[in-house]
Amino acid sequence: MKKLIKNGTIVTATDEYEANVLIEDGKVTSIGAYLTEDIDEVIDAKGAYLFPGGVDPHTHLDMPFGGTVTADDFETGTIAAAYGGTTTVIDFCLTNKGEPLRNAVSHWHEKSKDKAVIDYSFHLMIGEVNDAVLSELPTIIEEEGITSFKVFMAYKNVFQVDDSVLFRTLLTAKEHGALVMVHAENGDVIDHLVAEALEKGNTDPIHHALTRPPELEGEATGRAVELTGLADSQLYVVHVTSAAALEKITEARRKGYNVWGETCPQYLVLDQSNLEEPNFEGAKYVCSPPLREKWNQDVLWNALKNGQLQTLGSDQCSFNFEGQKDLGKGDFTKIPNGCPIIEDRFSLFFSEGVKKGRISINQFVDMVSTQPAKLFGVFPQKGTIAVGSDADIVIFDPNRERTLSVDTHHMNVDYNPFEGMKVTGEPISVLSRGEFVIRDKQFVGNPGEGNYLKRKRFNTNKKVTEESLS
């Protein structure tokens, strides 16, 4: 079946132009001003942008944490993502020490089977490095196409690893063509500060932020990037929140280290004061690393504009306020960490970034789609609108105004962290591999239609260049 999208303005990471797009068998087959082939369906996108579908490199769907499980699974989470303009998600596969990595991967396949409405893939958590792990990794890379590993420097006695595990993971990734992702906070010192706070009776949500100060994010980021340089490997720092961490990433890139940085919408528009909201409402904003003092927002926006940070993930990790977040009443350490972000990532970044002149429209596309696709091995299948690419296309009204709210979002959670925020710009229709998932703001997809993506190995020739620092 051939579809033609006409009268839209195509925007990629490098170009903006008016053209029609011909789609056949899930692929873009032609782009031009006049396309006269036999067409089965014509879609008029007059007045709209045609964006490549968003690639969200950082989600946690159906994930256990702190004695509970995230409210959004692979069905509700990917439906919400599609409503928001995202057509590919890469989720985090958690592992258990002493168990084969293959078991964890199989478990994540079971979680996602017959549920995802858009395409998806997995990152793999590394919690230990030994002969068994090292022997499994090459096979998992080859057979599963999982070419990114996640290492936690925080959550002591749960996920945290020591520097030896991080360094050996970096060496292994260098050898086999994978990208190492790091959650950079000093978990040992955080553990001490948390114990101290609880001993003093400081139990409110604000103390989540006060016991995880930005200095500890900066210290851990600096340690991770120096180990990366020593290993001559490659590192992706997830959810950068602060000037302290950004400084270490910028310094590393100036040295020519293969280091990239991601931030998230919550750190661009929310701040530490939200954790002080009364009636335990501050628990809604508990995530790790925590929200920072407001002045860090300008630092992060400038870093996105100047290329010091390269991508925008959601860090989707939804827990209901009632029945999950409130587990931490009287003890902030029992508040499940995370926020529902997956649906609003795309529109919020366009509204706050492009519409307010903080970034260009091409930078917007680059950070929400193209760069994640390149770094995580799915470009040019994903991340652009080009002949031969998957027809993952967002028909986007750049002028539609609306208010973000729990009453209108599609995430399976009882609050929205951006409640009442006005945004300009909204996805109207979203196609995944040429088929509508969202049409005229209505869900028309089906659970199970999302494909699992086996990703290419990390391109070890993908070096930080002088151009990328300008």
Side-chain angles (χ1 to χ4, degrees):
M1 181 175 181
K2 293 182 180 179
K3 292 186 177 75
L4 180 70
I5 305 177
K6 68 175 186 177
N7 299 327
T9 299
I10 296 171
V11 185
T12 68
T14 55
D15 298 302
E16 178 181 351
Y17 58 99
E18 294 183 8
N20 299 335
V21 180
L22 185 65
I23 299 167
E24 187 174 6
D25 296 329
K27 300 283 187 181
V28 175
T29 57
S30 187
I31 300 173
Y34 302 100
L35 300 174
T36 57
E37 301 181 38
D38 293 336
I39 306 299
D40 298 294
E41 181 178 6
V42 177
I43 303 136
D44 192 347
K46 186 174 179 59
Y49 286 128
L50 303 183
F51 290 134
V55 178
D56 190 341
H58 190 160
T59 68
H60 302 281
L61 302 174
D62 197 1
M63 186 193 81
F65 184 91
T68 188
V69 179
T70 54
D72 281 292
D73 64 9
F74 276 86
E75 182 173 333
T76 64
T78 57
I79 289 173
Y83 267 105
T86 291
T87 54
T88 300
V89 297
I90 311 180
D91 202 71
F92 285 94
C93 171
L94 300 185
T95 59
N96 296 313
K97 290 182 179 179
E99 294 183 9
L101 299 177
R102 173 67 64 184
N103 290 2
V105 174
S106 296
H107 185 43
W108 245 253
H109 278 303
E110 290 169 9
K111 287 174 179 284
S112 54
K113 183 181 179 182
D114 299 328
K115 288 189 174 182
V117 306
I118 56 175
D119 292 351
Y120 63 99
S121 189
F122 304 143
H123 309 292
L124 183 66
M125 171 190 161
I126 302 297
E128 59 183 343
V129 173
N130 52 41
D131 290 344
V133 169
L134 293 175
S135 67
E136 271 197 277
L137 284 176
T139 302
I140 286 176
I141 291 172
E142 182 66 28
E143 295 183 358
E144 296 287 341
I146 295 177
T147 54
S148 46
F149 308 146
K150 174 73 173 289
V151 175
F152 287 89
M153 301 174 76
Y155 300 114
K156 189 175 177 66
N157 300 321
V158 182
F159 298 140
Q160 182 180 333
V161 302
D162 59 25
D163 289 349
S164 173
V165 171
L166 173 56
F167 188 64
R168 293 181 72 187
T169 302
L170 286 162
L171 292 172
T172 303
K174 172 68 174 178
E175 180 182 359
H176 295 290
L179 180 59
V180 178
M181 312 170 77
V182 67
H183 176 130
E185 292 183 285
N186 187 317
D188 291 329
V189 179
I190 289 170
D191 192 57
H192 173 81
L193 294 177
V194 165
E196 193 173 63
L198 293 177
E199 187 177 347
K200 293 178 179 178
N202 296 327
T203 61
D204 291 338
I206 184 59
H207 293 285
H208 174 75
L210 298 180
T211 56
R212 306 177 86 103
E215 291 84 356
L216 298 185
E217 183 188 6
E219 185 278 331
T221 303
R223 190 159 25 108
V225 300
E226 289 302 335
L227 291 176
T228 301
L230 185 62
D232 190 26
S233 189
Q234 47 274 345
L235 184 75
Y236 180 94
V237 184
V238 300
H239 48 43
V240 175
T241 76
S242 65
L246 177 64
E247 179 182 354
K248 300 299 184 181
I249 293 169
T250 302
E251 179 183 352
R253 287 173 63 82
R254 283 178 180 153
K255 292 178 179 178
Y257 294 176
N258 294 315
V259 174
W260 290 267
E262 164 202 282
T263 192
C264 309
Q266 53 270 42
Y267 303 116
L268 298 173
V269 299
L270 304 174
D271 65 74
Q272 185 173 298
S273 66
N274 290 107
L275 289 158
E276 299 180 282
E277 291 184 9
N279 302 317
F280 198 65
E281 294 278 323
K284 294 177 177 179
Y285 307 95
V286 167
C287 56
S288 295
L291 301 178
R292 302 302 186 190
E293 292 182 350
K294 191 174 180 64
W295 62 267
N296 287 279
Q297 293 175 2
D298 287 340
V299 173
L300 296 177
W301 278 113
N302 287 333
L304 291 165
K305 182 179 181 63
N306 297 331
Q308 295 165 284
L309 293 174
Q310 293 74 44
T311 66
L312 187 85
S314 69
D315 196 6
Q316 163 75 11
C317 196
S318 58
F319 297 99
N320 285 303
F321 180 60
E322 295 186 4
Q324 291 187 300
K325 290 282 190 179
D326 57 8
L327 293 171
K329 281 186 175 179
D331 183 350
F332 69 89
T333 66
K334 292 183 170 55
I335 301 171
N337 286 205
C339 297
I341 309 291
I342 200 167
E343 184 169 353
D344 298 320
R345 178 186 76 115
F346 198 94
S347 289
L348 195 151
F349 194 48
F350 178 85
S351 183
E352 291 292 310
V354 178
K355 279 294 187 179
K356 293 189 176 180
R358 290 173 164 134
I359 57 172
S360 73
I361 196 166
N362 302 108
Q363 288 178 310
F364 163 78
V365 171
D366 196 36
M367 289 181 275
V368 299
S369 185
T370 308
Q371 275 299 321
K374 287 181 176 179
L375 287 168
F376 293 105
V378 293
F379 184 87
Q381 178 185 359
K382 309 290 186 183
T384 192
I385 298 175
V387 173
S389 296
D390 283 357
D392 292 359
I393 297 174
V394 179
I395 301 174
F396 189 88
D397 184 341
N399 299 312
R400 188 178 295 242
E401 296 181 352
R402 60 195 176 102
T403 301
L404 303 181
S405 175
V406 64
D407 296 329
T408 53
H409 76 205
H410 303 87
M411 294 175 285
N412 187 37
V413 67
D414 63 4
Y415 77 99
N416 188 305
F418 309 114
E419 185 71 37
M421 183 175 294
K422 292 180 171 28
V423 296
T424 302
E426 181 178 21
I428 303 303
S429 296
V430 178
L431 294 91
S432 172
R433 284 178 283 107
E435 299 298 327
F436 283 102
V437 183
I438 307 296
R439 184 160 196 166
D440 297 326
K441 301 200 299 183
Q442 299 298 314
F443 176 64
V444 295
N446 293 293
E449 289 186 341
N451 285 343
Y452 174 74
L453 299 172
K454 292 184 178 181
R455 296 180 285 117
K456 293 177 289 189
R457 294 174 190 264
F458 182 82
N459 180 3
T460 53
N461 294 320
K462 193 185 274 93
K463 297 291 185 180
V464 173
T465 64
E466 289 298 325
E467 289 77 11
S468 70
L469 299 177
S470 61

